[in-house]
Amino acid sequence: MSAAAQAFHLSPRKIVKGWSQIPNSLIENCGILTHAEFVLSVMVLRKDKRNGPAVPITEENWLKWTNLKDRTLEYAIAGLSKKG
């Protein structure tokens, strides 16, 4: 089995009910964000308390939801902090 196929099998996908609103400013400025920064921003918006109980963005959840390494989460946090 290829590495890509193994990574896909590590985190099974399922359809989740619900929706989230994304501010226009995030969409209009997504060109200045890395992929990980954009994904983290969307996760933070999704976890707004108005959408139900908050689920922490832990390293385990980050890996399960994105298939990205925990180091990428650290870079995303640092990049978003630097960009304000």
Side-chain angles (χ1 to χ4, degrees):
M1 183 180 298
S2 71
Q6 287 176 341
F8 179 77
H9 289 292
L10 288 177
S11 52
R13 304 293 185 214
K14 63 180 180 178
I15 297 173
V16 180
K17 293 183 181 180
W19 57 275
S20 298
Q21 291 181 323
I22 299 175
N24 290 340
S25 59
L26 180 61
I27 300 300
E28 293 164 359
N29 292 298
C30 68
I32 64 170
L33 302 174
T34 66
H35 173 70
E37 291 169 348
F38 181 76
V39 170
L40 180 58
S41 299
V42 171
M43 286 175 157
V44 168
L45 291 170
R46 177 180 179 236
K47 296 304 164 193
D48 185 75
K49 292 179 182 176
R50 294 174 294 194
N51 294 333
V55 176
I57 302 173
T58 62
E59 290 178 359
E60 182 181 332
N61 285 342
W62 174 260
L63 176 63
K64 182 171 69 174
W65 294 337
T66 66
N67 279 337
L68 297 173
K69 296 180 181 178
D70 56 349
R71 186 75 174 151
T72 310
L73 175 59
E74 294 173 17
Y75 287 134
I77 293 169
L80 289 173
S81 296
K82 184 177 179 183
K83 293 172 182 162

